[in-house]
Structures are given as C-alpha cells and as structure tokens.
Amino acid sequence: MSNFEQFHCDFYQSNYTIDDQEEGYSSYGTSENLSARRKCQIGDQPPANAFVPSEMLLPSQSYTGQILQPTYSPNTLSHLSYTDGFDEEPPLLEELGINFEHIWQKTLTVLNPMKPADGSIMNETDLTGPLVFCLALGATLLLAGKVHFGYVYGVSAIGCLAIHALLNLMSISGVSHGCVASVLGYCLLPMVILSTSAVVFSLQGILGTLLALFIIGWCSLSASKIFTSALAMEGQQLLIAYPCALLYGLFALLAVF
C-alpha cells in the first residue's frame, strides 16, 4: 500500500505551477498581438508601384479644439469667406439696372428742356421709367373714357423702330434700340400731363389745341436735346426734333380726340 501511495505522489508531482501557466498565456497573447500589429502595418502599407493620393501621405491632424467647438481648416475658412462675400454684393435693384437716382435725373431733364443733359446717363438702357409713363398715359386716357392701351404700345413700338433707323443714318457711332426706347419713353411724360388735363376739361377747342401744340413741342425738344448730347450730334437738333414731333403728335391726337 505504501508503494502505491509513493507511486501516486510521484505520478502527480511536477514542476508545473499556476504562475507558470499564466506567464505562458500572457507571453502567448503578447506574441499574437505583436504579430497582428505587424500584419496590419504590412497590410496598410501600399505596394511600391501603387498610386497613393497625396491626402494619404499627409500626417493626420490631431483634434486641437475644445469640446463642442470644431476646428477650422483652410477649406472651411475659404467657405466662410465665400459666404461672407454675399454681404458685399450690390442691391438687387442695382443688379437689375434700376437706379432711382438716374431715373430722377432723366425725369428732371425732360421736365426742364433748357437744362443740359448728361450724355453718360442718357445713353443707358433704362426702360423702367418709360414703362411707367406708358402705363400712366393709358390710365389717364382710360379715366377720360378712352381705352387706347393697344394704340399707345403700338405707336410706341413703331415710333422707336423709325427713330432708331433715322438716328443710325444720321449719327456716326450709332445707337441701340434700348437707348431710343428709353429716351422716347421718358420724353412721354409731358404727354401724360396733356392726357390728365383731358380728364378735367375737353381739349377739343382753341385752348386744347394750343395746349396740345405746346406739349408736342415740349416732348420733341426734350427728346432731340437728349439725343444730340448722348450721340454727339451737335447742330442737328432741329433735324431730330421734326420726326420726334410727328411721333408725339400721334399721342396728342389720342389725348385730344
């Protein structure tokens, strides 16, 4: 029996302890981690002949901002400067070509035929004032019981084409359709005064005829003055005033009769 117990002790007796087992596991785990890291590094590195973008070669930027405060890169700063540029843009009316100061200056030039015209302003293609004056002329004729909106726009279009052809033959530099329409439309303002007076009293008499002739001369004189200053046609004002007087005479006939 004693021999069996001695054999039993000798059979289970060993130098292997639990601490050695833990060290074996830990050394095995670290070796596996090192091998896995080496494999990841080898896998992340591109081949020698492969194309690598420049963004991948740059070192990664560490986050230097505070909590809930994003960091700014050159790209974000460029976007911010672009959005801030909207505040420096001109107003919408100025982009559309509607300048109230120029409209007021052109209106004063028409109302005062003796005032010298500014050629740089008068050469602009501004149709805001002409459209307003055409609507005002049609509206005042409507108040007098005359529905002549079609005649107003029809005569205006034909007159602009005729005056444009005539001015291109007489001037050296030439003129655009928009400039002709703008000048003729602004000079239509005295005709609005004639049509407004037709609402108050009848123009079919001596007083009405004299008033109509005065308004026709006023419109033609203002238009010819503006054309001569804008197109540098000194000495030809009377030649331009005559066809303009014929055109505005048609509008006077609409207002009187």
Side-chain angles (χ1 to χ4, degrees):
M1 187 68 182
S2 62
N3 294 329
F4 179 76
E5 290 179 356
Q6 183 68 28
F7 174 77
H8 180 72
C9 293
D10 293 336
F11 180 79
Y12 287 100
Q13 189 175 4
S14 174
N15 294 327
Y16 182 80
T17 60
I18 296 176
D19 296 335
D20 295 336
Q21 185 177 4
E22 291 179 354
E23 290 178 359
Y25 281 132
S26 63
S27 62
Y28 179 73
T30 55
S31 62
E32 283 186 351
N33 292 332
L34 289 174
S35 60
R37 290 177 183 176
R38 290 176 181 175
K39 288 181 181 179
C40 292
Q41 292 177 358
I42 294 172
D44 293 337
Q45 292 179 357
N49 298 326
F51 173 75
V52 180
S54 59
E55 291 81 0
M56 296 179 62
L57 297 177
L58 296 175
S60 59
Q61 297 179 354
S62 59
Y63 180 78
T64 58
Q66 298 179 0
I67 299 176
L68 301 178
Q69 293 183 358
T71 57
Y72 294 100
S73 63
N75 295 327
T76 57
L77 290 176
S78 63
H79 288 298
L80 289 175
S81 62
Y82 179 75
T83 54
D84 293 339
F86 286 106
D87 298 335
E88 300 177 357
E89 290 187 355
L92 180 60
L93 294 178
E94 186 175 349
E95 290 185 354
L96 294 175
I98 302 174
N99 194 334
F100 290 104
E101 183 178 357
H102 289 181
I103 292 173
W104 178 247
Q105 291 181 4
K106 291 179 182 180
T107 305
L108 292 179
T109 304
V110 172
L111 292 177
N112 187 7
M114 302 304 173
K115 179 183 178 181
D118 189 359
S120 61
I121 297 178
M122 296 303 169
N123 204 12
E124 294 179 355
T125 304
D126 177 23
L127 299 179
T128 306
L131 289 176
V132 172
F133 295 153
C134 286
L135 289 174
L137 179 60
T140 51
L141 290 175
L142 183 61
L143 292 176
K146 304 170 184 178
V147 185
H148 292 329
F149 284 98
Y151 290 108
V152 170
Y153 286 106
V155 172
S156 300
I158 297 173
C160 289
L161 294 176
I163 299 297
H164 174 264
L166 181 63
L167 291 177
N168 281 329
L169 293 175
M170 296 176 63
S171 63
I172 300 175
S173 59
V175 65
S176 62
H177 291 88
C179 180
V180 174
S182 177
V183 173
L184 293 178
Y186 273 104
C187 294
L188 198 64
L189 178 59
M191 200 60 61
V192 177
I193 299 174
L194 179 64
S195 61
T196 304
S197 61
V199 178
V200 180
F201 58 92
S202 177
L203 297 177
Q204 296 180 4
I206 298 176
L207 181 60
T209 304
L210 294 177
L211 181 60
L213 292 175
F214 175 74
I215 295 296
I216 291 171
W218 187 359
C219 294
S220 60
L221 182 62
S222 299
S224 60
K225 177 191 65 176
I226 295 173
F227 280 130
T228 53
S229 62
L231 302 177
M233 299 172 62
E234 288 80 5
Q236 301 180 9
Q237 184 174 0
L238 293 178
L239 295 176
I240 301 173
Y242 177 69
C244 292
L246 296 177
L247 174 63
Y248 291 114
L250 298 175
F251 291 107
L253 290 175
L254 294 177
V256 173
F257 301 103

